Amino acid sequence: MRVLITGGAGFIGTNLASALAQGGDQVVVFDNLSRRGVSDNLEWLTTHHPGIQFVHGDVRDAEALADVVRGADRIFHLAAQVAVTTSVVDPRTDFEINLLGAVNALEAARLHAPEAPFFFTSTNKVYGGMEDLRIVRRGERYEYEDLPTGVAESRPLDFHSPYGCSKGGADQYVRDYARIYNLPTVVFRMSCIYGPHQCGNEDQGWVAHFAREALAGRGLSFYGDGRQVRDVLYVGDLVRAFRMAADAIDRTAGEVFNIGGGPENTTSLLELVAELEEICGHKVPVNYAPWRPGDQRIYVSDVRKAGEVFGWAPQVSRTEGVRRLIDWLRESNLD
């Protein structure tokens, strides 16, 4: 198949492009290479998979998108501005990349590849602060008092921050293009994804950021008390979800799925640091700062719908996934 991946030199795009190319697909990577580390990802991709085609372009350019969409059998729209803090500083650029870019991609698909399954990577931020949920503190973590399976797709949407608005608006556009234009679109509302080729920082990709800083013997900053909890998902499991949902497009088209590690793969910041200290063999200094506005004490995805509709569930445990990430960082000599 001819597969288009916008943002294909990013962290998730690199892992997806590699898996699809290895499986024999003709992969087109469309990326403007604006983020730190993506040029290295692209070099790795084209070295290991010489057949991958790279197109330098920006999702804000509708004509450029239309050119690469023509003839695509599958489309994965991953290109995005990815940090809440950046969206607060520059909301216009966040809007242009995340919402306008998604509409440009949808229009290109509608006009030039209407039969191609279209996947969009949304975020758990579309659910907002969820202040109504009761949260309790147990040991070194927060937990939902009465939500053992996590947050389901039926949860009302509540966009906070320019990033939440731009991704949430795109999420709804993608869903509505299935209803109005009968495009086979699928939305993945993702939790914390981590793994090789991730250039993480404090604001985005925090698992990789923690791992890199721990390996280098540098300190970390916690905003809050460190007991905040997220479900984390190894990127290989996400790639598998993409492929399984695409193969089951007759059942997944028009649907929205929460994709994360689920209740079995949660960690608090304190717990992750303790695990990294054990792996690295030394203490990791932590500096505590005040809570940031909008930070959730806990978010855990209910991933049962993906299992029911197309048979997917996480396979790589948090412990195994973190060790794989550490091994990749060591092999890559990244500090």
PDB file of all heavy atoms in Angstrom, residues 88-106:
ATOM      1  N   VAL A  88      -0.016  28.262  24.851  1.00  0.00           N
ATOM      2  CA  VAL A  88      -0.357  29.436  25.644  1.00  0.00           C
ATOM      3  C   VAL A  88       0.470  30.639  25.216  1.00  0.00           C
ATOM      4  O   VAL A  88      -0.032  31.767  25.148  1.00  0.00           O
ATOM      5  CB  VAL A  88      -0.160  29.132  27.143  1.00  0.00           C
ATOM      6  CG1 VAL A  88      -0.345  30.382  27.990  1.00  0.00           C
ATOM      7  CG2 VAL A  88      -1.137  28.052  27.599  1.00  0.00           C
ATOM      8  N   VAL A  89       1.729  30.410  24.885  1.00  0.00           N
ATOM      9  CA  VAL A  89       2.608  31.491  24.444  1.00  0.00           C
ATOM     10  C   VAL A  89       2.229  31.971  23.048  1.00  0.00           C
ATOM     11  O   VAL A  89       2.246  33.178  22.757  1.00  0.00           O
ATOM     12  CB  VAL A  89       4.079  31.016  24.472  1.00  0.00           C
ATOM     13  CG1 VAL A  89       5.000  32.060  23.836  1.00  0.00           C
ATOM     14  CG2 VAL A  89       4.510  30.733  25.900  1.00  0.00           C
ATOM     15  N   ASP A  90       1.864  31.046  22.153  1.00  0.00           N
ATOM     16  CA  ASP A  90       1.588  31.382  20.749  1.00  0.00           C
ATOM     17  C   ASP A  90       0.347  30.640  20.277  1.00  0.00           C
ATOM     18  O   ASP A  90       0.438  29.669  19.522  1.00  0.00           O
ATOM     19  CB  ASP A  90       2.805  31.025  19.890  1.00  0.00           C
ATOM     20  CG  ASP A  90       2.686  31.508  18.456  1.00  0.00           C
ATOM     21  OD1 ASP A  90       1.656  32.134  18.113  1.00  0.00           O
ATOM     22  OD2 ASP A  90       3.617  31.253  17.662  1.00  0.00           O
ATOM     23  N   PRO A  91      -0.833  31.089  20.696  1.00  0.00           N
ATOM     24  CA  PRO A  91      -2.057  30.362  20.346  1.00  0.00           C
ATOM     25  C   PRO A  91      -2.388  30.379  18.865  1.00  0.00           C
ATOM     26  O   PRO A  91      -3.015  29.441  18.359  1.00  0.00           O
ATOM     27  CB  PRO A  91      -3.142  31.058  21.174  1.00  0.00           C
ATOM     28  CG  PRO A  91      -2.598  32.403  21.475  1.00  0.00           C
ATOM     29  CD  PRO A  91      -1.109  32.229  21.588  1.00  0.00           C
ATOM     30  N   ARG A  92      -1.984  31.413  18.148  1.00  0.00           N
ATOM     31  CA  ARG A  92      -2.301  31.464  16.719  1.00  0.00           C
ATOM     32  C   ARG A  92      -1.579  30.357  15.955  1.00  0.00           C
ATOM     33  O   ARG A  92      -2.188  29.655  15.138  1.00  0.00           O
ATOM     34  CB  ARG A  92      -1.945  32.833  16.131  1.00  0.00           C
ATOM     35  CG  ARG A  92      -2.220  32.926  14.622  1.00  0.00           C
ATOM     36  CD  ARG A  92      -1.898  34.298  14.066  1.00  0.00           C
ATOM     37  NE  ARG A  92      -2.798  35.305  14.609  1.00  0.00           N
ATOM     38  CZ  ARG A  92      -4.002  35.572  14.105  1.00  0.00           C
ATOM     39  NH1 ARG A  92      -4.445  34.893  13.070  1.00  0.00           N
ATOM     40  NH2 ARG A  92      -4.740  36.518  14.640  1.00  0.00           N
ATOM     41  N   THR A  93      -0.292  30.189  16.210  1.00  0.00           N
ATOM     42  CA  THR A  93       0.446  29.128  15.517  1.00  0.00           C
ATOM     43  C   THR A  93      -0.097  27.763  15.902  1.00  0.00           C
ATOM     44  O   THR A  93      -0.233  26.869  15.059  1.00  0.00           O
ATOM     45  CB  THR A  93       1.943  29.217  15.852  1.00  0.00           C
ATOM     46  OG1 THR A  93       2.447  30.474  15.371  1.00  0.00           O
ATOM     47  CG2 THR A  93       2.722  28.092  15.189  1.00  0.00           C
ATOM     48  N   ASP A  94      -0.435  27.589  17.177  1.00  0.00           N
ATOM     49  CA  ASP A  94      -1.036  26.334  17.636  1.00  0.00           C
ATOM     50  C   ASP A  94      -2.323  26.051  16.857  1.00  0.00           C
ATOM     51  O   ASP A  94      -2.546  24.931  16.389  1.00  0.00           O
ATOM     52  CB  ASP A  94      -1.329  26.440  19.128  1.00  0.00           C
ATOM     53  CG  ASP A  94      -2.064  25.239  19.681  1.00  0.00           C
ATOM     54  OD1 ASP A  94      -1.405  24.228  19.971  1.00  0.00           O
ATOM     55  OD2 ASP A  94      -3.306  25.305  19.803  1.00  0.00           O
ATOM     56  N   PHE A  95      -3.168  27.060  16.697  1.00  0.00           N
ATOM     57  CA  PHE A  95      -4.412  26.908  15.936  1.00  0.00           C
ATOM     58  C   PHE A  95      -4.125  26.551  14.479  1.00  0.00           C
ATOM     59  O   PHE A  95      -4.745  25.641  13.907  1.00  0.00           O
ATOM     60  CB  PHE A  95      -5.220  28.211  16.004  1.00  0.00           C
ATOM     61  CG  PHE A  95      -6.273  28.327  14.941  1.00  0.00           C
ATOM     62  CD1 PHE A  95      -7.504  27.717  15.094  1.00  0.00           C
ATOM     63  CD2 PHE A  95      -6.026  29.037  13.773  1.00  0.00           C
ATOM     64  CE1 PHE A  95      -8.477  27.800  14.108  1.00  0.00           C
ATOM     65  CE2 PHE A  95      -6.991  29.136  12.785  1.00  0.00           C
ATOM     66  CZ  PHE A  95      -8.213  28.519  12.947  1.00  0.00           C
ATOM     67  N   GLU A  96      -3.183  27.248  13.863  1.00  0.00           N
ATOM     68  CA  GLU A  96      -2.920  27.040  12.434  1.00  0.00           C
ATOM     69  C   GLU A  96      -2.395  25.635  12.164  1.00  0.00           C
ATOM     70  O   GLU A  96      -2.765  24.998  11.172  1.00  0.00           O
ATOM     71  CB  GLU A  96      -1.929  28.093  11.931  1.00  0.00           C
ATOM     72  CG  GLU A  96      -2.509  29.503  11.889  1.00  0.00           C
ATOM     73  CD  GLU A  96      -1.469  30.539  11.518  1.00  0.00           C
ATOM     74  OE1 GLU A  96      -0.261  30.202  11.521  1.00  0.00           O
ATOM     75  OE2 GLU A  96      -1.861  31.691  11.242  1.00  0.00           O
ATOM     76  N   ILE A  97      -1.532  25.131  13.032  1.00  0.00           N
ATOM     77  CA  ILE A  97      -0.970  23.794  12.823  1.00  0.00           C
ATOM     78  C   ILE A  97      -1.991  22.715  13.161  1.00  0.00           C
ATOM     79  O   ILE A  97      -2.258  21.808  12.363  1.00  0.00           O
ATOM     80  CB  ILE A  97       0.311  23.606  13.654  1.00  0.00           C
ATOM     81  CG1 ILE A  97       1.408  24.568  13.186  1.00  0.00           C
ATOM     82  CG2 ILE A  97       0.797  22.157  13.564  1.00  0.00           C
ATOM     83  CD1 ILE A  97       2.633  24.592  14.090  1.00  0.00           C
ATOM     84  N   ASN A  98      -2.591  22.819  14.347  1.00  0.00           N
ATOM     85  CA  ASN A  98      -3.415  21.716  14.839  1.00  0.00           C
ATOM     86  C   ASN A  98      -4.808  21.674  14.241  1.00  0.00           C
ATOM     87  O   ASN A  98      -5.285  20.600  13.858  1.00  0.00           O
ATOM     88  CB  ASN A  98      -3.516  21.776  16.366  1.00  0.00           C
ATOM     89  CG  ASN A  98      -2.231  21.375  17.052  1.00  0.00           C
ATOM     90  OD1 ASN A  98      -1.293  20.917  16.409  1.00  0.00           O
ATOM     91  ND2 ASN A  98      -2.171  21.553  18.356  1.00  0.00           N
ATOM     92  N   LEU A  99      -5.480  22.809  14.138  1.00  0.00           N
ATOM     93  CA  LEU A  99      -6.855  22.800  13.637  1.00  0.00           C
ATOM     94  C   LEU A  99      -6.916  23.060  12.138  1.00  0.00           C
ATOM     95  O   LEU A  99      -7.494  22.271  11.386  1.00  0.00           O
ATOM     96  CB  LEU A  99      -7.709  23.814  14.398  1.00  0.00           C
ATOM     97  CG  LEU A  99      -9.204  23.791  14.099  1.00  0.00           C
ATOM     98  CD1 LEU A  99      -9.772  22.375  14.129  1.00  0.00           C
ATOM     99  CD2 LEU A  99      -9.955  24.671  15.083  1.00  0.00           C
ATOM    100  N   LEU A 100      -6.291  24.139  11.689  1.00  0.00           N
ATOM    101  CA  LEU A 100      -6.280  24.391  10.243  1.00  0.00           C
ATOM    102  C   LEU A 100      -5.556  23.274   9.505  1.00  0.00           C
ATOM    103  O   LEU A 100      -6.002  22.831   8.442  1.00  0.00           O
ATOM    104  CB  LEU A 100      -5.621  25.739   9.950  1.00  0.00           C
ATOM    105  CG  LEU A 100      -5.520  26.123   8.481  1.00  0.00           C
ATOM    106  CD1 LEU A 100      -6.900  26.210   7.833  1.00  0.00           C
ATOM    107  CD2 LEU A 100      -4.765  27.443   8.322  1.00  0.00           C
ATOM    108  N   GLY A 101      -4.449  22.790  10.067  1.00  0.00           N
ATOM    109  CA  GLY A 101      -3.713  21.704   9.430  1.00  0.00           C
ATOM    110  C   GLY A 101      -4.551  20.448   9.299  1.00  0.00           C
ATOM    111  O   GLY A 101      -4.510  19.753   8.278  1.00  0.00           O
ATOM    112  N   ALA A 102      -5.358  20.144  10.319  1.00  0.00           N
ATOM    113  CA  ALA A 102      -6.224  18.967  10.262  1.00  0.00           C
ATOM    114  C   ALA A 102      -7.309  19.136   9.205  1.00  0.00           C
ATOM    115  O   ALA A 102      -7.622  18.192   8.456  1.00  0.00           O
ATOM    116  CB  ALA A 102      -6.860  18.709  11.625  1.00  0.00           C
ATOM    117  N   VAL A 103      -7.901  20.340   9.123  1.00  0.00           N
ATOM    118  CA  VAL A 103      -8.920  20.584   8.096  1.00  0.00           C
ATOM    119  C   VAL A 103      -8.306  20.492   6.701  1.00  0.00           C
ATOM    120  O   VAL A 103      -8.908  19.938   5.768  1.00  0.00           O
ATOM    121  CB  VAL A 103      -9.604  21.941   8.321  1.00  0.00           C
ATOM    122  CG1 VAL A 103     -10.543  22.279   7.167  1.00  0.00           C
ATOM    123  CG2 VAL A 103     -10.383  21.928   9.640  1.00  0.00           C
ATOM    124  N   ASN A 104      -7.089  21.018   6.546  1.00  0.00           N
ATOM    125  CA  ASN A 104      -6.410  20.883   5.252  1.00  0.00           C
ATOM    126  C   ASN A 104      -6.222  19.421   4.876  1.00  0.00           C
ATOM    127  O   ASN A 104      -6.429  19.027   3.722  1.00  0.00           O
ATOM    128  CB  ASN A 104      -5.044  21.565   5.316  1.00  0.00           C
ATOM    129  CG  ASN A 104      -5.125  23.079   5.263  1.00  0.00           C
ATOM    130  OD1 ASN A 104      -6.146  23.643   4.861  1.00  0.00           O
ATOM    131  ND2 ASN A 104      -4.066  23.747   5.683  1.00  0.00           N
ATOM    132  N   ALA A 105      -5.830  18.606   5.850  1.00  0.00           N
ATOM    133  CA  ALA A 105      -5.622  17.178   5.575  1.00  0.00           C
ATOM    134  C   ALA A 105      -6.941  16.484   5.249  1.00  0.00           C
ATOM    135  O   ALA A 105      -7.012  15.649   4.340  1.00  0.00           O
ATOM    136  CB  ALA A 105      -4.950  16.507   6.779  1.00  0.00           C
ATOM    137  N   LEU A 106      -7.987  16.824   5.982  1.00  0.00           N
ATOM    138  CA  LEU A 106      -9.299  16.231   5.714  1.00  0.00           C
ATOM    139  C   LEU A 106      -9.818  16.613   4.330  1.00  0.00           C
ATOM    140  O   LEU A 106     -10.358  15.776   3.596  1.00  0.00           O
ATOM    141  CB  LEU A 106     -10.295  16.681   6.778  1.00  0.00           C
ATOM    142  CG  LEU A 106     -10.171  16.025   8.152  1.00  0.00           C
ATOM    143  CD1 LEU A 106     -10.968  16.806   9.188  1.00  0.00           C
ATOM    144  CD2 LEU A 106     -10.626  14.564   8.107  1.00  0.00           C
TER     145      LEU A 106
END
